[in-house]
Amino acid sequence: AFYMRLTGRPADIYEQLEPLLNDYRPLRRRDMTDWTLTTMDGFVDDLLTQDRVCGIALPRLPKREVLEEAGYLDGPRRSAMMQIMEEESAQGVILVVAASIAVTP
């Protein structure tokens, strides 16, 4: 993933790395002083949104929306939740998503 981000074309980077945003396996990263535990989706998110990862300056990456408007990418990114919702609606099942928000005074 890191090599792809360093050397790939922007449209290819998004096409190859976005499926990894659904990968929640643990990943150990070495910082300058110690090791940190993260997940693959968090690391890929850093690759797509940050200018520096692992102490290395990455080439500028245009925003996904710009590539969509220019015709390099087809439509917005499809998340795993959107795929599940479409499958459920095709089967006639109503999917209810609830969120709880804790407010502390």
Side-chain angles (χ1 to χ4, degrees):
F2 191 76
Y3 180 77
M4 181 64 181
R5 175 61 175 88
L6 280 174
T7 61
R9 292 187 351 234
D12 294 336
I13 291 170
Y14 281 106
E15 289 173 355
Q16 295 293 318
L17 296 187
E18 283 181 341
L20 296 175
L21 291 171
N22 299 326
D23 186 354
Y24 305 109
R25 292 178 291 172
L27 179 69
R28 285 185 0 176
R29 283 176 54 177
R30 176 142 186 167
D31 291 333
M32 297 298 265
T33 58
D34 61 346
W35 292 89
T36 59
L37 186 62
T38 185
T39 58
M40 188 63 173
D41 69 314
F43 180 66
V44 170
D45 184 59
D46 288 346
L47 288 174
L48 293 175
T49 59
Q50 302 296 319
D51 295 332
R52 293 181 72 88
V53 176
C54 298
I56 296 176
L58 300 172
R60 184 184 166 280
L61 184 64
K63 293 197 178 289
R64 190 181 207 299
E65 295 82 21
V66 173
L67 295 174
E68 288 172 13
E69 290 173 4
Y72 292 109
L73 293 173
D74 297 328
R77 182 178 79 83
R78 296 180 51 83
S79 69
M81 180 59 98
M82 185 60 111
Q83 292 171 356
I84 291 170
M85 289 172 58
E86 287 176 357
E87 290 172 6
E88 296 292 329
S89 67
Q91 295 174 357
V93 177
I94 298 173
L95 180 65
V96 177
V97 178
S100 64
I101 300 171
V103 178
T104 55

